[in-house]
Amino acid sequence: MKILITGKPGSGKTTLLKRIYEELKNYVKVRGFFTGEIREKGERIGFFIENFEGKRKIFAHKDFDFPLKVSKYGVNINALLEIGLPEIIKAIDEKSFLMIDEIGKMELLSENFQELVEKAFNSGIDIIATISISPHPFIKEIKKREDVKIFEINENKREYLFKRIKEICFAELKI
């Protein structure tokens, strides 16, 4: 089972992924990570990356002076290497369920991330990932795989998609 959740920024991709995680964690071993906004006085100033065991690092910040940038954010690629990549490796090695939030512009600055995502998708493990609507070549390749189901989220479809993806997971995993 390979499920991709796509949609505009702020459409609810991460929230949906976390809700599905809460439903699955008592039935299967889940590896992976999610990203979230860092806000200050109502303004988004950066992003963090966190695994499901609570290990967290700042991934991107408007005050970071790193050579890698996406929009106004300097990207701390080491945060991805320290939090995200080990989760993908463990999921492949353990044959665990893998959740990735997100396959997006910041994450794709890492060739290692791209290689591991491709390896995970080819490994036979179950995956749910959020994926950018960006026309990045890697994103296009993942989306056109024949073994993936793609769901586009928007405000009107959030609850429907939660129920539908949960139903697919429980059926595929025979829960």
Side-chain angles (χ1 to χ4, degrees):
M1 168 182 46
K2 312 269 186 281
I3 294 175
L4 298 175
I5 302 164
T6 191
K8 294 179 181 173
S11 60
K13 297 183 298 291
T14 299
T15 301
L16 177 58
L17 186 86
K18 288 164 101 176
R19 285 183 71 194
I20 294 166
Y21 166 76
E22 288 298 323
E23 294 291 325
L24 293 178
K25 70 180 184 180
N26 295 322
Y27 300 99
V28 294
K29 175 68 177 169
V30 180
R31 291 283 184 184
F33 62 91
F34 62 94
T35 57
E37 294 182 349
I38 301 169
R39 292 193 162 270
E40 196 172 89
K41 297 178 185 169
E43 176 194 358
R44 183 173 66 199
I45 59 168
F47 299 89
F48 65 84
I49 181 170
E50 183 173 336
N51 68 16
F52 292 115
E53 294 166 350
K55 185 175 179 185
R56 176 191 283 209
K57 289 205 175 254
I58 297 176
F59 183 30
H61 199 281
K62 70 176 195 164
D63 293 338
F64 282 173
D65 187 25
F66 288 114
L68 297 175
K69 291 199 178 302
V70 171
S71 185
K72 63 184 175 186
Y73 305 102
V75 178
N76 176 12
I77 208 68
N78 286 329
L80 177 66
L81 300 178
E82 293 171 24
I83 304 248
L85 271 56
E87 289 296 311
I88 298 171
I89 292 166
K90 289 175 190 172
I92 294 167
D93 290 347
E94 300 168 353
K95 305 222 180 311
S96 301
F97 197 105
L98 176 61
M99 295 186 143
I100 300 172
D101 178 44
E102 113 177 75
I103 302 171
K105 290 178 186 175
M106 290 182 193
E107 295 82 3
L108 294 176
L109 293 171
S110 167
E111 287 184 28
N112 290 340
F113 175 78
Q114 291 182 45
E115 290 168 8
L116 277 175
V117 167
E118 188 172 356
K119 184 176 179 182
F121 271 80
N122 291 330
S123 72
I125 63 173
D126 294 315
I127 300 171
I128 296 179
T130 63
I131 192 163
S132 173
I133 56 174
S134 164
H136 188 284
F138 186 82
I139 290 171
K140 285 181 178 179
E141 287 298 313
I142 293 290
K143 285 182 175 178
K144 75 178 189 183
R145 289 177 61 107
E146 291 185 16
D147 61 344
V148 301
K149 294 178 180 136
I150 301 174
F151 295 94
E152 185 168 351
I153 190 170
N154 62 43
E155 189 176 315
N156 299 325
K157 290 170 42 178
R158 288 179 187 152
E159 197 57 34
Y160 164 77
L161 287 181
F162 169 69
K163 290 175 182 171
R164 180 69 184 117
I165 294 170
K166 177 183 166 187
E167 178 182 275
I168 291 168
C169 290
F170 276 56
E172 295 264 341
L173 299 170
K174 296 175 178 52
I175 298 172

XYZ file of all heavy atoms in Angstrom, residues 29-34 50-53 55 80-94 96-100 116 125:
272
model
N 3.685 -1.250 13.856
C 4.841 -0.409 14.150
C 4.921 0.657 13.058
O 5.001 0.335 11.878
C 6.126 -1.240 14.188
C 7.389 -0.447 14.370
C 7.457 0.169 15.751
C 8.765 0.910 15.940
N 8.793 1.723 17.121
N 4.875 1.917 13.468
C 4.929 3.029 12.518
C 6.222 3.794 12.733
O 6.553 4.183 13.846
C 3.727 3.984 12.682
C 3.816 5.131 11.675
C 2.403 3.245 12.536
N 6.943 4.000 11.669
C 8.136 4.841 11.651
C 7.824 6.062 10.790
O 6.937 6.027 9.958
C 9.330 4.099 11.055
C 9.853 2.989 11.911
C 10.647 3.550 13.035
N 11.253 2.495 13.832
C 11.932 2.750 14.928
N 12.102 3.984 15.347
N 12.452 1.762 15.616
N 8.599 7.102 10.980
C 8.444 8.262 10.124
C 8.575 9.561 10.871
O 9.045 9.608 12.011
N 8.140 10.611 10.218
C 8.283 11.944 10.777
C 7.229 12.869 10.189
O 6.622 12.574 9.169
C 9.689 12.498 10.507
C 10.009 12.650 9.045
C 9.742 13.838 8.378
C 10.569 11.603 8.334
C 10.031 13.974 7.028
C 10.867 11.726 6.985
C 10.591 12.921 6.330
N 7.050 13.981 10.889
C 6.162 15.022 10.382
C 6.859 16.361 10.553
O 7.832 16.494 11.293
C 4.800 14.981 11.075
C 4.834 15.231 12.561
C 4.637 16.503 13.078
C 5.061 14.180 13.440
C 4.672 16.728 14.437
C 5.089 14.393 14.811
C 4.905 15.682 15.313
N 9.922 16.385 13.283
C 9.809 15.590 14.498
C 9.440 14.154 14.136
O 8.574 13.922 13.289
C 8.729 16.187 15.402
C 8.579 15.490 16.735
C 7.609 16.209 17.666
O 7.388 17.425 17.515
O 7.059 15.523 18.550
N 10.107 13.197 14.795
C 9.711 11.806 14.577
C 8.579 11.454 15.546
O 8.206 12.264 16.396
C 10.905 10.843 14.668
C 11.489 10.723 16.057
O 10.900 11.105 17.072
N 12.704 10.172 16.118
N 8.027 10.265 15.427
C 6.878 9.878 16.237
C 7.266 9.521 17.674
O 6.402 9.250 18.492
C 6.101 8.734 15.578
C 5.416 9.170 14.314
C 5.781 8.636 13.092
C 4.419 10.128 14.333
C 5.159 9.046 11.916
C 3.788 10.547 13.174
C 4.163 10.007 11.956
N 8.552 9.540 17.973
C 9.015 9.325 19.342
C 9.310 10.648 20.050
O 9.769 10.665 21.179
C 10.256 8.419 19.328
C 9.914 7.019 18.828
C 11.135 6.195 18.484
O 12.266 6.738 18.439
O 10.963 4.990 18.248
N 11.460 13.174 19.005
C 12.738 13.838 18.718
C 12.478 14.935 17.686
O 11.923 14.660 16.620
C 13.767 12.835 18.206
C 15.137 13.431 18.014
C 16.161 12.367 17.611
C 17.517 13.000 17.392
N 18.490 12.034 16.898
N 17.031 17.143 8.834
C 16.425 16.054 8.052
C 17.306 14.804 8.129
O 16.798 13.689 8.303
C 16.238 16.480 6.596
C 15.685 15.432 5.644
C 14.250 15.065 5.999
C 15.743 15.942 4.198
N 18.616 14.994 8.026
C 19.542 13.860 8.062
C 19.525 13.167 9.420
O 19.680 11.957 9.499
C 20.968 14.320 7.722
C 21.164 14.970 6.347
C 22.613 15.418 6.176
C 20.753 14.039 5.223
N 19.305 13.928 10.483
C 19.328 13.372 11.838
C 17.981 12.808 12.290
O 17.949 11.883 13.101
C 19.787 14.441 12.836
C 21.226 14.850 12.645
C 21.609 16.061 13.488
O 20.960 16.316 14.520
O 22.571 16.754 13.100
N 16.893 13.337 11.787
C 15.556 12.900 12.236
C 14.859 12.067 11.169
O 14.405 10.961 11.438
C 14.677 14.119 12.589
C 15.368 14.980 13.623
C 13.273 13.670 12.991
C 14.810 15.062 14.978
N 14.755 12.592 9.969
C 13.967 11.933 8.929
C 14.615 10.704 8.320
O 13.993 9.649 8.223
N 15.865 10.837 7.913
C 16.508 9.725 7.219
C 16.629 8.469 8.076
O 16.348 7.372 7.582
C 17.866 10.149 6.654
C 17.801 10.738 5.238
C 16.869 11.897 5.108
C 19.169 11.072 4.721
N 17.020 8.577 9.358
C 17.070 7.352 10.180
C 15.708 6.657 10.282
O 15.646 5.427 10.336
C 17.535 7.851 11.551
C 18.292 9.103 11.263
C 17.574 9.727 10.097
N 14.624 7.430 10.284
C 13.289 6.832 10.352
C 12.978 6.026 9.087
O 12.396 4.939 9.161
C 12.226 7.911 10.568
C 12.247 8.515 11.949
C 11.909 7.520 13.043
O 10.895 6.805 12.916
O 12.660 7.459 14.033
N 13.373 6.547 7.947
C 13.151 5.824 6.688
C 13.977 4.546 6.672
O 13.484 3.471 6.321
C 13.476 6.723 5.471
C 12.547 7.943 5.440
C 13.343 5.918 4.163
C 12.936 8.998 4.413
N 15.237 4.650 7.088
C 16.124 3.479 7.120
C 15.560 2.408 8.057
O 15.500 1.223 7.706
C 17.552 3.891 7.546
C 18.196 4.744 6.452
C 18.406 2.664 7.868
C 19.460 5.477 6.885
N 15.132 2.821 9.256
C 14.568 1.858 10.217
C 13.302 1.206 9.667
O 13.103 0.002 9.857
C 14.259 2.551 11.546
C 15.486 2.936 12.340
C 15.080 3.725 13.576
C 16.267 4.340 14.267
N 15.873 5.267 15.351
N 12.454 1.991 9.020
C 11.220 1.424 8.455
C 11.539 0.355 7.418
O 10.922 -0.712 7.403
C 10.357 2.525 7.839
N 12.512 0.625 6.565
C 12.903 -0.350 5.540
C 13.485 -1.604 6.211
O 13.088 -2.733 5.895
C 13.920 0.259 4.549
C 13.256 1.383 3.728
C 14.483 -0.819 3.622
C 14.245 2.246 2.959
N 14.408 -1.399 7.152
C 15.074 -2.532 7.822
C 14.095 -3.375 8.629
O 14.183 -4.601 8.636
C 16.199 -2.037 8.730
C 17.383 -1.478 7.960
O 17.459 -1.677 6.728
O 18.240 -0.818 8.599
N 13.173 -2.713 9.327
C 12.221 -3.416 10.184
C 10.958 -3.863 9.449
O 10.130 -4.548 10.023
C 11.768 -2.501 11.333
C 12.851 -2.025 12.239
C 12.392 -0.899 13.173
O 11.263 -0.392 13.034
O 13.182 -0.532 14.047
N 8.618 -1.856 8.726
C 7.574 -1.121 9.443
C 6.744 -0.294 8.477
O 7.137 -0.058 7.337
C 8.207 -0.154 10.462
O 8.990 -0.827 11.399
N 5.619 0.155 8.957
C 4.782 1.106 8.231
C 5.521 2.447 8.261
O 6.023 2.856 9.301
C 3.434 1.234 8.945
C 2.356 1.842 8.119
C 1.355 1.053 7.584
C 2.317 3.211 7.880
C 0.339 1.613 6.825
C 1.316 3.777 7.125
C 0.323 2.978 6.593
N 5.589 3.145 7.125
C 6.334 4.397 7.042
C 5.400 5.555 6.717
O 4.590 5.471 5.790
C 7.420 4.296 5.968
C 8.244 5.561 5.683
C 9.005 6.018 6.927
C 9.185 5.318 4.513
N 5.544 6.638 7.500
C 4.806 7.873 7.233
C 5.822 8.997 7.043
O 6.687 9.194 7.900
C 3.859 8.209 8.379
C 2.748 7.196 8.542
S 1.579 7.746 9.805
C 0.062 7.181 9.064
N 5.701 9.700 5.927
C 6.621 10.790 5.596
C 5.815 12.072 5.394
O 4.911 12.120 4.570
C 7.399 10.495 4.292
C 8.229 9.228 4.421
C 8.253 11.695 3.901
C 8.866 8.783 3.105
N 16.650 7.548 -0.464
C 15.985 6.704 0.537
C 14.481 6.603 0.294
O 13.897 5.541 0.507
C 16.258 7.223 1.945
C 17.576 6.776 2.553
C 17.794 7.439 3.907
C 17.622 5.259 2.702
N 7.389 -2.010 1.609
C 6.728 -1.612 2.850
C 5.533 -0.707 2.544
O 5.436 -0.120 1.468
C 7.695 -0.908 3.837
C 8.235 0.400 3.248
C 8.807 -1.849 4.253
C 9.049 1.230 4.230
